[in-house]
Amino acid sequence: MSNTQEFKIGADLFSIPADRFYGRDNHMWALYDHVTGYATIGMDSLGLASLGDLAYVSLLPVGTKVERGESLGTLEAAKMTGDLTSPISGEIVERNDLTVRNPALVNQETYTNGWLVVIKPSDWEHESKQMVSVVELPDWVDAELVRYRQQGWID
Amino acid sequence: MTLPLNSEIIFHTPGFRGYKTDEHDNRGAVEYVSVSVTGTTCALHCDHCDTKVLRGMTDLRRFDGSLFDMCESLAEGGTRGVLISGGSDLRGRVPLLPYIADLKRVRMELGISVRVHVGLPDEETCAALGEIGLDGAMIDIIGHSSTIREVYHLDADPEDYEDALSWLEKYKVPMVPHIILGLHYGKMLGEDRALEMIVRHPPKLLALVVLMSISKTAMAKVNPPTLREIGAFFQKTRGQLPFTPVMLGCARPMGGMKVEIDRLAVDSGFNGIAFPANGIVEYARQAGLHPQFVNACCGVTW
């Protein structure tokens, strides 16, 4: 299986790496570190493609406890103003202030330097099973592309 | 600070953009929908937009049916108003004439509110629009030939925009002109003249917007006018149109600058703001205003 799922929107090529888990509806990714037991959280490229460029990001402070599906910060993008939804529950142990200062980093380096927060998960084993894993990734990406196009969120 | 006469301020959140702040939530709203009759096609490929704005609209060309059929389907789903938009032809006109009959039926049979983007309309289009019973015709007024030619790639002059205002007035089409501050590559150039033209043809309301750089366009790296320039123009506009509703429209820079621009609008006595920055509702309340929310374009009321 390829380690990256690629797709095109218009002339632009996007990728979704298979080394992490994805929120089914919110297009947030979680990369779990088995050594530290922490998960790095970011937003995936399909979600970003539907939002346009991020112009503003705020993140909750380190030490804040968040629940899965709740806000871990806010965003302002070309097509949306709203919450950044946490894909897992836990405590924020680190946040990426580089993305707060330069939100474009989330668009430009989506899976590397564009991460948002690191969370110490409270129930990774259970909640990760509710996210999209590598096995489901190709079908999920295809289905989401259809859904996003039907909604008119992407070309 | 200049307070609006009735001390009410209306915050507008049309549904073509997801919106949720601590003060208002309009996610998934279907009350107001924007439709592009040309999809993402536009002949002008303006430097500041290059069709990107059309991409957030519902594409009529992808719908299996007429514009009336689409509006009927939307109305069944809870839509109470539509903004009919689209790209322009080489003369700057949004091609609305083929849809006049449908829009009349939308108003008569469905009763939902209809706004249109007209581009730079000719007299025939203005006359036809006068028969629909529109809530309003939105038109960007540009006050300098260089901006029209260089940014819009359009062979026209400010006088052509004033002609359009005259025709809309003649055929009793409620006018909702917009002025884009900084449209000339971030510089204030034709804004004063645009305002002068609008003052000569009193509109239903005036919406001011501020240049918002859009990625992957020729103006992606252009900075908007300064807050001082923006604030001065806001005050000037309020002074010249004391009895006309003046709104801060959808487009403006985001992030921290948006907060400052929105505050300037409140301080200048604007009657409404579209997609207010987080905290502006409370700012207005503390200024003695009474905030209302309408999930539709500026000036639309249900």
Side-chain angles (χ1 to χ4, degrees):
Chain A
M1 182 173 292
S2 167
N3 59 4
T4 300
Q5 180 76 17
E6 292 187 333
F7 59 93
K8 285 186 87 169
I9 298 176
D12 298 324
L13 184 66
F14 295 86
S15 65
I16 293 195
D19 61 351
R20 59 200 78 192
F21 291 79
Y22 296 87
R24 289 185 189 280
D25 300 319
N26 56 33
H27 285 270
M28 302 291 286
W29 56 257
L31 178 62
Y32 188 69
D33 184 329
H34 290 273
V35 176
T36 62
Y38 292 173
T40 304
I41 308 297
M43 178 172 273
D44 77 34
S45 51
L46 180 52
L48 287 166
S50 71
L51 296 177
D53 290 349
L54 263 61
Y56 175 78
V57 167
S58 73
L59 299 169
L60 293 176
V62 169
T64 306
K65 288 187 168 57
V66 295
E67 292 293 320
R68 177 172 171 264
E70 290 185 353
S71 174
L72 57 77
T74 61
L75 68 87
E76 193 170 357
K79 297 179 186 174
M80 195 188 105
T81 298
D83 288 324
L84 287 160
T85 306
S86 183
I88 58 172
S89 306
E91 179 183 344
I92 296 175
V93 294
E94 191 177 352
R95 62 177 215 172
N96 187 357
D97 287 330
L98 285 177
T99 60
V100 174
R101 288 197 292 273
N102 178 21
L105 197 60
V106 181
N107 294 91
Q108 292 162 355
E109 300 181 42
T110 302
Y111 301 108
T112 53
N113 295 323
W115 61 275
L116 297 166
V117 296
V118 176
I119 287 179
K120 180 183 179 184
S122 57
D123 191 6
W124 173 256
E125 192 172 340
H126 175 248
E127 290 187 340
S128 63
K129 289 188 174 70
Q130 297 174 51
M131 300 177 74
V132 178
S133 66
V134 60
V135 178
E136 301 170 272
L137 198 55
D139 288 344
W140 176 72
V141 169
D142 289 345
E144 285 294 273
L145 283 168
V146 170
R147 182 169 76 95
Y148 272 44
R149 288 197 168 104
Q150 283 175 341
Q151 294 288 337
W153 295 337
I154 57 173
D155 290 340
Chain B
M1 177 180 293
T2 310
L3 284 180
L5 292 176
N6 60 4
S7 290
E8 182 182 79
I9 187 166
I10 302 179
F11 294 104
H12 291 273
T13 54
F16 50 75
R17 190 173 159 210
Y19 179 85
K20 176 184 177 294
T21 67
D22 296 339
E23 299 173 313
H24 189 62
D25 187 348
N26 184 33
R27 288 172 299 177
V30 294
E31 285 174 281
Y32 206 80
V33 175
S34 58
V35 177
S36 172
V37 296
T38 68
T40 55
T41 301
C42 179
L44 297 183
H45 288 275
C46 303
D47 281 3
H48 85 296
C49 164
D50 197 13
T51 76
K52 302 294 187 297
V53 172
L54 296 171
R55 296 181 183 192
M57 299 182 181
T58 303
D59 187 347
L60 176 64
R61 299 179 314 170
R62 291 188 181 184
F63 181 76
D64 185 18
S66 68
L67 179 58
F68 176 82
D69 295 335
M70 173 183 266
C71 291
E72 186 175 43
S73 172
L74 290 167
E76 287 169 0
T79 295
R80 303 166 72 187
V82 288
L83 167 59
I84 306 303
S85 185
S88 298
D89 63 18
L90 287 171
R91 290 170 58 186
R93 302 169 298 189
V94 176
L96 294 172
L97 281 175
Y99 305 100
I100 297 298
D102 272 3
L103 291 175
K104 282 184 191 172
R105 286 188 65 199
V106 169
R107 285 293 301 134
M108 290 178 63
E109 297 177 30
L110 306 178
I112 63 176
S113 173
V114 178
R115 280 260 177 109
V116 292
H117 270 146
V118 292
L120 179 57
D122 54 20
E123 184 167 8
E124 183 184 8
T125 301
C126 295
L129 292 174
E131 299 172 5
I132 294 173
L134 289 178
D135 172 76
M138 308 220 277
I139 176 171
D140 293 343
I141 300 299
I142 309 175
H144 201 286
S145 297
S146 298
T147 310
I148 299 167
R149 292 167 192 279
E150 293 169 30
V151 178
Y152 269 42
H153 308 152
L154 188 58
D155 183 17
D157 293 299
E159 291 79 5
D160 297 304
Y161 285 87
E162 181 141 24
D163 283 347
L165 289 171
S166 299
W167 293 325
L168 291 168
E169 192 174 25
K170 175 181 175 183
Y171 295 105
K172 297 183 170 43
V173 181
M175 290 182 280
V176 184
H178 286 51
I179 300 175
I180 305 168
L181 279 64
L183 180 59
H184 194 87
Y185 304 98
K187 294 183 173 59
M188 299 289 283
L189 186 61
E191 288 79 358
D192 285 343
R193 185 168 178 195
L195 180 59
E196 288 166 14
M197 290 194 287
I198 290 165
V199 168
R200 285 195 287 269
H201 306 273
K204 172 178 178 172
L205 66 93
L206 169 62
L208 299 185
V209 296
V210 182
L211 180 73
M212 181 171 70
S213 299
I214 300 173
S215 67
K216 297 178 183 173
T217 67
M219 290 169 68
K221 304 291 184 188
V222 170
N223 290 319
T226 64
L227 287 168
R228 180 185 292 266
E229 291 172 311
I230 293 167
F233 195 79
F234 282 4
Q235 291 282 350
K236 179 176 182 176
T237 300
R238 180 76 285 173
Q240 296 207 0
L241 289 168
F243 304 113
T244 300
V246 179
M247 309 278 184
L248 181 58
C250 295
R252 56 196 181 278
M254 293 181 277
M257 188 170 187
K258 179 176 178 177
V259 176
E260 298 303 321
I261 292 171
D262 289 10
R263 287 181 176 177
L264 288 172
V266 173
D267 295 347
S268 300
F270 281 19
N271 304 85
I273 298 177
F275 298 121
N278 199 20
I280 293 301
V281 177
E282 182 56 27
Y283 183 78
R285 201 174 274 126
Q286 288 183 5
L289 298 168
H290 302 291
Q292 307 286 330
F293 278 91
V294 176
N295 294 332
C297 276
C298 287
V300 171
T301 52
W302 305 123

